[in-house]
Amino acid sequence: MIDLHAHTNASDGTHSPEQLVREAQAAGLSALGVCDHDTFAGADEAVDHGAAAGLEIIRGIELSTRLPMPGSRHGKSVHILGYFLHGNTTDGFRSWLRRLQASRRERNERLAERLRRLSLRVTVEQAEALGGSITGRPHFARLLVSKGYAANQEEAFRLYLGESGKAYVDRWEPEPAEAVRQVLEAGGTPALAHPARLSTRNGDEEEGLLRDLAAAGLAAIEAYHSDHSPEDIRRYRRLAERHGWLVTGGSDFHGEAKPRIKLGCGRGDLSIPGEILHRLREFKRAPSR
Ligand code: AMP
Ligand code: FE
Ligand code: FE
Ligand code: ZN
Protein backbone atom coordinates (compact mmCIF):
# COMPACT_ATOMS: atom_id res chain seq x y z
CA MET A 1 0.00 0.00 0.00
CA ILE A 2 1.28 3.48 -0.83
CA ASP A 3 0.04 7.01 -0.09
CA LEU A 4 1.58 9.94 -1.94
CA HIS A 5 -0.18 12.84 -0.24
CA ALA A 6 -0.01 13.53 3.50
CA HIS A 7 0.50 16.64 5.64
CA THR A 8 2.51 17.23 8.80
CA ASN A 9 2.29 19.93 11.44
CA ALA A 10 4.77 21.95 9.39
CA SER A 11 1.58 23.05 7.60
CA ASP A 12 -1.97 22.20 8.65
CA GLY A 13 -1.64 18.54 9.63
CA THR A 14 -1.51 17.60 13.31
CA HIS A 15 1.21 14.89 13.21
CA SER A 16 4.87 15.74 13.54
CA PRO A 17 6.99 14.22 10.75
CA GLU A 18 8.12 11.55 13.20
CA GLN A 19 4.56 10.69 14.25
CA LEU A 20 3.49 10.61 10.61
CA VAL A 21 6.22 8.13 9.73
CA ARG A 22 5.29 5.97 12.70
CA GLU A 23 1.62 5.98 11.73
CA ALA A 24 2.48 5.16 8.10
CA GLN A 25 4.47 2.18 9.28
CA ALA A 26 1.65 1.04 11.52
CA ALA A 27 -0.73 1.33 8.56
CA GLY A 28 1.57 -0.95 6.57
CA LEU A 29 2.58 1.57 3.91
CA SER A 30 5.60 0.83 1.73
CA ALA A 31 5.98 4.43 0.53
CA LEU A 32 4.71 7.77 1.84
CA GLY A 33 4.58 11.10 0.03
CA VAL A 34 4.83 14.13 2.31
CA CYS A 35 3.38 17.22 0.61
CA ASP A 36 2.82 20.10 2.99
CA HIS A 37 1.28 23.37 1.87
CA ASP A 38 3.99 25.75 0.60
CA THR A 39 6.86 24.32 2.70
CA PHE A 40 9.41 21.48 2.58
CA ALA A 41 10.09 21.59 6.33
CA GLY A 42 7.95 18.54 7.19
CA ALA A 43 9.03 16.46 4.19
CA ASP A 44 12.72 17.06 4.78
CA GLU A 45 12.38 16.01 8.41
CA ALA A 46 10.26 12.97 7.52
CA VAL A 47 13.04 11.64 5.25
CA ASP A 48 15.38 11.15 8.21
CA HIS A 49 12.71 9.37 10.26
CA GLY A 50 11.74 7.28 7.24
CA ALA A 51 15.35 6.19 6.72
CA ALA A 52 15.61 5.14 10.36
CA ALA A 53 12.32 3.24 10.14
CA GLY A 54 12.94 1.65 6.74
CA LEU A 55 10.04 3.49 5.13
CA GLU A 56 10.49 5.18 1.79
CA ILE A 57 9.56 8.88 1.86
CA ILE A 58 8.76 10.76 -1.34
CA ARG A 59 9.32 14.44 -0.77
CA GLY A 60 6.91 16.92 -2.23
CA ILE A 61 5.03 20.15 -1.75
CA GLU A 62 1.43 21.29 -2.30
CA LEU A 63 1.40 24.76 -3.77
CA SER A 64 -1.57 27.08 -3.33
CA THR A 65 -2.42 28.85 -6.57
CA ARG A 66 -5.34 30.85 -7.85
CA LEU A 67 -6.89 30.87 -11.27
CA PRO A 68 -8.56 34.14 -12.28
CA MET A 69 -12.08 33.44 -13.55
CA PRO A 70 -14.24 35.76 -15.57
CA GLY A 71 -17.22 36.76 -13.46
CA SER A 72 -15.71 35.46 -10.24
CA ARG A 73 -14.38 37.93 -7.71
CA HIS A 74 -11.80 35.69 -6.09
CA GLY A 75 -11.14 33.25 -8.91
CA LYS A 76 -10.62 29.58 -8.19
CA SER A 77 -8.24 27.98 -5.71
CA VAL A 78 -6.11 25.29 -7.40
CA HIS A 79 -3.52 23.10 -5.63
CA ILE A 80 -0.46 21.94 -7.56
CA LEU A 81 1.71 19.14 -6.17
CA GLY A 82 5.45 19.10 -6.84
CA TYR A 83 7.18 15.74 -6.30
CA PHE A 84 10.88 14.93 -5.94
CA LEU A 85 11.78 18.38 -4.66
CA HIS A 86 13.25 19.31 -1.30
CA GLY A 87 14.16 22.32 0.82
CA ASN A 88 17.62 22.61 -0.69
CA THR A 89 16.23 23.06 -4.21
CA THR A 90 17.30 25.62 -6.82
CA ASP A 91 17.83 29.27 -5.85
CA GLY A 92 15.04 30.21 -8.28
CA PHE A 93 12.48 27.95 -6.68
CA ARG A 94 13.50 28.90 -3.17
CA SER A 95 13.12 32.61 -3.80
CA TRP A 96 9.77 32.01 -5.53
CA LEU A 97 8.64 29.99 -2.51
CA ARG A 98 9.80 32.73 -0.14
CA ARG A 99 7.61 35.16 -2.04
CA LEU A 100 4.64 32.84 -1.56
CA GLN A 101 5.37 32.50 2.14
CA ALA A 102 5.76 36.27 2.53
CA SER A 103 2.41 36.95 0.86
CA ARG A 104 0.82 34.45 3.23
CA ARG A 105 2.33 36.12 6.32
CA GLU A 106 1.28 39.55 5.13
CA ARG A 107 -2.25 38.19 4.44
CA ASN A 108 -2.36 36.72 7.94
CA GLU A 109 -1.67 40.17 9.42
CA ARG A 110 -4.54 41.69 7.46
CA LEU A 111 -6.80 38.76 8.30
CA ALA A 112 -6.15 39.15 12.05
CA GLU A 113 -6.75 42.89 11.75
CA ARG A 114 -10.03 42.31 9.97
CA LEU A 115 -11.16 39.79 12.60
CA ARG A 116 -10.36 42.31 15.33
CA ARG A 117 -12.46 44.92 13.57
CA LEU A 118 -15.30 42.41 13.83
CA SER A 119 -14.61 42.43 17.60
CA LEU A 120 -12.96 39.00 17.64
CA ARG A 121 -10.00 39.12 19.98
CA VAL A 122 -7.31 37.31 18.00
CA THR A 123 -3.72 38.06 17.03
CA VAL A 124 -1.55 36.73 14.28
CA GLU A 125 0.87 35.47 16.95
CA GLN A 126 -1.87 33.29 18.44
CA ALA A 127 -2.58 31.75 15.03
CA GLU A 128 1.13 31.26 14.37
CA ALA A 129 1.50 29.46 17.68
CA LEU A 130 -0.84 26.81 16.24
CA GLY A 131 1.01 26.71 12.93
CA GLY A 132 4.36 25.21 12.01
CA SER A 133 6.65 26.33 9.25
CA ILE A 134 3.63 28.01 7.67
CA THR A 135 0.40 29.35 9.17
CA GLY A 136 -2.81 29.35 7.18
CA ARG A 137 -6.53 29.82 7.51
CA PRO A 138 -6.99 26.35 9.02
CA HIS A 139 -4.95 27.57 12.01
CA PHE A 140 -7.12 30.68 12.27
CA ALA A 141 -10.14 28.37 12.16
CA ARG A 142 -8.78 26.34 15.10
CA LEU A 143 -8.12 29.57 16.98
CA LEU A 144 -11.67 30.84 16.42
CA VAL A 145 -13.08 27.52 17.60
CA SER A 146 -10.87 27.44 20.69
CA LYS A 147 -12.06 30.95 21.62
CA GLY A 148 -15.69 30.03 21.10
CA TYR A 149 -16.21 32.34 18.11
CA ALA A 150 -17.26 29.37 15.96
CA ALA A 151 -18.72 25.98 16.81
CA ASN A 152 -16.33 24.16 14.48
CA GLN A 153 -13.84 24.83 11.70
CA GLU A 154 -16.46 24.51 8.99
CA GLU A 155 -18.45 27.29 10.67
CA ALA A 156 -15.29 29.41 11.11
CA PHE A 157 -14.79 29.25 7.34
CA ARG A 158 -18.44 29.89 6.58
CA LEU A 159 -18.76 32.89 8.89
CA TYR A 160 -15.31 34.47 8.64
CA LEU A 161 -12.49 32.83 6.72
CA GLY A 162 -13.99 31.42 3.53
CA GLU A 163 -14.33 33.37 0.29
CA SER A 164 -17.83 34.47 1.33
CA GLY A 165 -16.85 35.00 4.96
CA LYS A 166 -16.86 38.42 6.63
CA ALA A 167 -13.10 38.54 7.21
CA TYR A 168 -11.89 37.11 3.89
CA VAL A 169 -8.87 38.91 2.49
CA ASP A 170 -7.11 38.22 -0.79
CA ARG A 171 -3.42 37.54 -1.09
CA TRP A 172 -1.06 37.20 -4.00
CA GLU A 173 -1.07 33.64 -5.26
CA PRO A 174 0.59 32.48 -8.46
CA GLU A 175 -1.51 31.07 -11.26
CA PRO A 176 -1.54 27.27 -11.52
CA ALA A 177 0.44 27.23 -14.79
CA GLU A 178 3.13 29.35 -13.14
CA ALA A 179 3.46 26.81 -10.31
CA VAL A 180 3.73 23.98 -12.86
CA ARG A 181 6.55 25.82 -14.64
CA GLN A 182 8.37 26.55 -11.38
CA VAL A 183 8.23 22.90 -10.30
CA LEU A 184 9.53 21.76 -13.70
CA GLU A 185 12.35 24.30 -13.72
CA ALA A 186 13.45 23.08 -10.30
CA GLY A 187 13.54 19.51 -11.66
CA GLY A 188 10.39 18.30 -9.90
CA THR A 189 7.31 16.49 -11.18
CA PRO A 190 4.18 18.68 -11.19
CA ALA A 191 0.75 17.14 -10.58
CA LEU A 192 -2.75 18.60 -10.30
CA ALA A 193 -4.07 17.88 -6.78
CA HIS A 194 -7.62 16.60 -6.08
CA PRO A 195 -9.16 17.72 -9.40
CA ALA A 196 -12.69 17.01 -8.16
CA ARG A 197 -12.39 20.03 -5.86
CA LEU A 198 -12.10 22.33 -8.85
CA SER A 199 -15.88 22.21 -9.14
CA THR A 200 -15.76 23.83 -12.54
CA ARG A 201 -19.13 25.08 -13.71
CA ASN A 202 -19.04 23.07 -16.92
CA GLY A 203 -16.91 20.76 -19.02
CA ASP A 204 -15.55 23.58 -21.15
CA GLU A 205 -14.24 25.37 -18.10
CA GLU A 206 -12.48 22.23 -16.90
CA GLU A 207 -11.07 21.53 -20.36
CA GLY A 208 -9.73 25.09 -20.55
CA LEU A 209 -7.89 24.77 -17.26
CA LEU A 210 -6.52 21.34 -18.14
CA ARG A 211 -5.33 22.60 -21.52
CA ASP A 212 -3.46 25.49 -19.88
CA LEU A 213 -1.83 23.12 -17.40
CA ALA A 214 -0.91 20.71 -20.19
CA ALA A 215 0.70 23.56 -22.14
CA ALA A 216 2.69 24.53 -19.05
CA GLY A 217 4.02 20.98 -18.81
CA LEU A 218 1.84 19.27 -16.20
CA ALA A 219 3.12 15.72 -15.70
CA ALA A 220 0.41 14.07 -13.64
CA ILE A 221 -3.06 14.26 -12.17
CA GLU A 222 -4.12 13.04 -8.72
CA ALA A 223 -6.78 10.58 -9.82
CA TYR A 224 -6.80 8.73 -6.47
CA HIS A 225 -7.90 10.93 -3.56
CA SER A 226 -10.12 10.62 -0.49
CA ASP A 227 -12.68 12.98 -2.06
CA HIS A 228 -12.96 10.98 -5.28
CA SER A 229 -15.68 8.45 -5.99
CA PRO A 230 -14.85 5.33 -8.03
CA GLU A 231 -16.45 7.11 -11.00
CA ASP A 232 -14.20 10.18 -10.43
CA ILE A 233 -11.15 7.92 -10.39
CA ARG A 234 -12.16 6.30 -13.68
CA ARG A 235 -12.84 9.69 -15.24
CA TYR A 236 -9.50 11.22 -14.17
CA ARG A 237 -7.65 8.12 -15.31
CA ARG A 238 -9.24 8.52 -18.75
CA LEU A 239 -8.34 12.22 -18.77
CA ALA A 240 -4.75 11.33 -17.87
CA GLU A 241 -4.60 8.89 -20.75
CA ARG A 242 -6.01 11.44 -23.14
CA HIS A 243 -3.46 14.10 -22.14
CA GLY A 244 -0.54 11.69 -21.72
CA TRP A 245 -0.30 12.41 -17.99
CA LEU A 246 0.82 10.12 -15.23
CA VAL A 247 -1.54 9.35 -12.39
CA THR A 248 -0.80 10.04 -8.72
CA GLY A 249 -2.78 9.34 -5.60
CA GLY A 250 -2.96 10.03 -1.92
CA SER A 251 -5.31 10.27 1.04
CA ASP A 252 -4.52 13.94 1.82
CA PHE A 253 -4.10 12.85 5.44
CA HIS A 254 -4.14 15.76 7.94
CA GLY A 255 -4.22 13.77 11.21
CA GLU A 256 -6.77 14.96 13.76
CA ALA A 257 -7.53 17.99 11.59
CA LYS A 258 -9.46 15.63 9.29
CA PRO A 259 -10.12 12.70 11.61
CA ARG A 260 -12.14 10.64 9.15
CA ILE A 261 -9.28 10.38 6.67
CA LYS A 262 -6.79 7.58 7.32
CA LEU A 263 -3.36 7.10 5.80
CA GLY A 264 -3.38 4.83 2.77
CA CYS A 265 -7.12 4.12 2.69
CA GLY A 266 -8.69 7.59 2.97
CA ARG A 267 -12.30 7.25 4.07
CA GLY A 268 -11.90 3.48 4.02
CA ASP A 269 -12.00 2.29 0.44
CA LEU A 270 -9.20 4.23 -1.21
CA SER A 271 -6.67 1.89 -2.80
CA ILE A 272 -3.70 3.40 -4.60
CA PRO A 273 -1.85 1.07 -6.97
CA GLY A 274 1.86 0.85 -6.14
CA GLU A 275 2.58 0.86 -9.85
CA ILE A 276 1.89 4.60 -10.15
CA LEU A 277 4.98 5.32 -8.06
CA HIS A 278 7.19 3.29 -10.40
CA ARG A 279 5.87 5.29 -13.32
CA LEU A 280 6.46 8.60 -11.55
CA ARG A 281 10.04 7.56 -10.95
CA GLU A 282 10.55 6.57 -14.58
CA PHE A 283 9.27 9.98 -15.64
CA LYS A 284 11.72 11.65 -13.30
CA ARG A 285 14.61 9.65 -14.75
CA ALA A 286 13.60 10.23 -18.37
CA PRO A 287 16.60 11.61 -20.29
CA SER A 288 14.44 14.16 -22.14
CA ARG A 289 14.19 16.09 -18.89
P1 AMP B 1 -4.76 29.38 3.11
O1 AMP B 1 -3.83 28.68 2.17
O2 AMP B 1 -4.12 29.82 4.36
O3 AMP B 1 -5.51 30.49 2.43
O4 AMP B 1 -5.85 28.30 3.57
C1 AMP B 1 -6.45 27.46 2.61
C2 AMP B 1 -6.76 26.12 3.23
O5 AMP B 1 -7.91 26.24 4.05
C3 AMP B 1 -7.13 25.07 2.18
O6 AMP B 1 -6.01 24.34 1.77
C4 AMP B 1 -8.11 24.20 2.89
O7 AMP B 1 -7.42 23.12 3.54
C5 AMP B 1 -8.70 25.08 3.97
N1 AMP B 1 -10.07 25.48 3.63
C6 AMP B 1 -10.45 26.33 2.66
N2 AMP B 1 -11.80 26.50 2.66
C7 AMP B 1 -12.27 25.70 3.66
C8 AMP B 1 -13.59 25.41 4.18
N3 AMP B 1 -14.68 25.99 3.67
N4 AMP B 1 -13.67 24.56 5.21
C9 AMP B 1 -12.57 23.99 5.75
N5 AMP B 1 -11.32 24.21 5.30
C10 AMP B 1 -11.17 25.05 4.28
FE1 FE C 1 -4.44 21.31 4.14
FE1 FE D 1 -5.06 20.45 -1.35
ZN1 ZN E 1 -3.22 18.33 0.71
Side-chain angles (χ1 to χ4, degrees), residues 5 194 197 222-229 233 249-252 270:
H5 186 165
H194 41 67
R197 283 214 207 134
E222 192 177 44
Y224 297 86
H225 186 272
S226 297
D227 287 354
H228 289 181
S229 67
I233 293 171
S251 64
D252 213 348
L270 185 66

Side-chain angles (χ1 to χ4, degrees), residues 7 12 37 254 258:
H7 293 258
D12 58 348
H37 299 284
H254 280 70
K258 293 183 182 172

Side-chain angles (χ1 to χ4, degrees), residues 105-184:
R105 267 194 303 278
E106 182 266 340
R107 184 278 314 263
N108 289 348
E109 297 281 355
R110 286 183 290 122
L111 175 55
E113 179 64 42
R114 189 110 173 216
L115 288 165
R116 282 195 295 274
R117 264 190 274 140
L118 294 164
S119 304
L120 276 58
R121 299 165 64 91
V122 298
T123 66
V124 76
E125 289 78 16
Q126 290 166 341
E128 278 171 357
L130 301 174
S133 167
I134 68 123
T135 300
R137 284 182 287 159
H139 304 101
F140 277 89
R142 286 175 213 170
L143 183 61
L144 295 185
V145 172
S146 77
K147 290 186 175 240
Y149 293 129
N152 51 51
Q153 294 189 36
E154 226 22 80
E155 190 178 80
F157 271 93
R158 188 161 46 77
L159 295 179
Y160 300 109
L161 307 171
E163 281 158 24
S164 313
K166 286 198 282 271
Y168 184 79
V169 287
D170 268 323
R171 69 173 154 121
W172 171 77
E173 284 176 288
E175 290 194 20
E178 163 78 8
V180 167
R181 284 190 293 268
Q182 289 286 345
V183 168
L184 279 177

